[in-house]
Amino acid sequence: MAGMGAMAAVGVVVVVLCVSERHALRSGIKGRNKFFPKVSERSSIKAKKVWDELRGGSTMQNPGDIAQAFVNFYYQTFDTNRGNLASLYTESSMLTFEGTPFQGAMAIKDKLTSLPFQQVAHKVVTLDVQPLPGNPQGIIVLVCGDLVVDGDKKSLKFSQSFVLMPHPGSNNWYVQNDVFRLNYG
């Protein structure tokens, strides 16, 4: 818990992706393509307004745009070469994968590359994004979707949340926190 307070002091952005179609409709997501849901224009404008207010009127990119670009890159890279995801993490980054924590870029890379499947395909169903109140530098991202492992006809439901932080002095972002869970039931 002490680490959570420290993260809040630095700034957090969270992106959320959700699985159910009904949730997508209730969330105002109008359409989606194969990889990424389209957020309604109204939601995007509202998110940008909130982001600008939290940033004191900064012209920084919209958190929804950052989240969408990140999610597209993350899952495309995961599905083709998981080892290349290590550059998105730092030594202070933490992944909790199905309840087991891993800290640091190398430990996270080792976990992701040791997963017991050869092929995987993620399909993002929903994506939610929020700036962190009180620390607008970060972004919270929540993703819900489906994944297919080794060509199995039955997809698995998953949810994954990310806390994205900007690298100081650059326009690059890194993953401070990553929580992945399969959804059963």
Side-chain angles (χ1 to χ4, degrees):
M1 285 297 175
M4 293 300 286
M7 285 187 301
V10 173
V12 178
V13 176
V14 176
V15 176
V16 176
L17 299 177
C18 296
V19 176
S20 90
E21 292 284 333
R22 288 191 323 226
H23 176 76
L25 293 173
R26 281 182 278 165
S27 298
I29 298 172
K30 291 184 175 181
R32 56 193 167 88
N33 63 26
K34 182 177 177 184
F35 298 106
F36 192 78
K38 300 285 185 184
V39 178
S40 71
E41 183 177 337
R42 190 155 132 219
S43 296
S44 180
I45 291 169
K46 186 176 181 180
K48 181 169 180 9
K49 181 178 178 187
V50 170
W51 181 257
D52 286 345
E53 287 173 7
L54 289 171
R55 295 288 301 154
S58 168
T59 59
M60 185 177 193
Q61 286 182 300
N62 181 318
D65 295 340
I66 295 166
Q68 182 168 1
F70 167 77
V71 166
N72 287 341
F73 176 80
Y74 182 89
Y75 291 115
Q76 180 179 16
T77 304
F78 193 105
D79 294 353
T80 58
N81 187 349
R82 289 171 278 187
N84 287 343
L85 293 173
S87 65
L88 295 176
Y89 298 91
T90 66
E91 288 313 304
S92 68
S93 297
M94 180 169 255
L95 163 68
T96 301
F97 190 90
E98 290 290 310
T100 304
F102 301 88
Q103 176 126 25
M106 293 315 296
I108 293 168
K109 175 188 173 190
D110 290 346
K111 174 58 183 173
L112 296 178
T113 57
S114 71
L115 293 171
F117 48 80
Q118 298 302 309
Q119 296 178 336
V120 62
H122 289 82
K123 178 183 177 188
V124 172
V125 176
T126 61
L127 170 67
D128 296 308
V129 182
Q130 293 181 353
L132 183 65
N135 193 347
Q137 293 179 1
I139 302 170
I140 298 169
V141 178
L142 175 61
V143 177
C144 296
D146 302 315
L147 64 102
V148 175
V149 175
D150 289 333
D152 194 350
K153 293 193 186 289
K154 185 175 180 181
S155 64
L156 302 168
K157 305 291 186 191
F158 77 94
S159 58
Q160 190 164 13
S161 63
F162 299 95
V163 173
L164 304 178
M165 298 296 297
H167 278 289
S170 78
N171 288 330
N172 296 323
W173 294 77
Y174 69 94
V175 178
Q176 179 62 52
N177 296 90
D178 178 352
V179 179
F180 175 88
R181 192 61 90 157
L182 288 173
N183 301 324
Y184 300 102

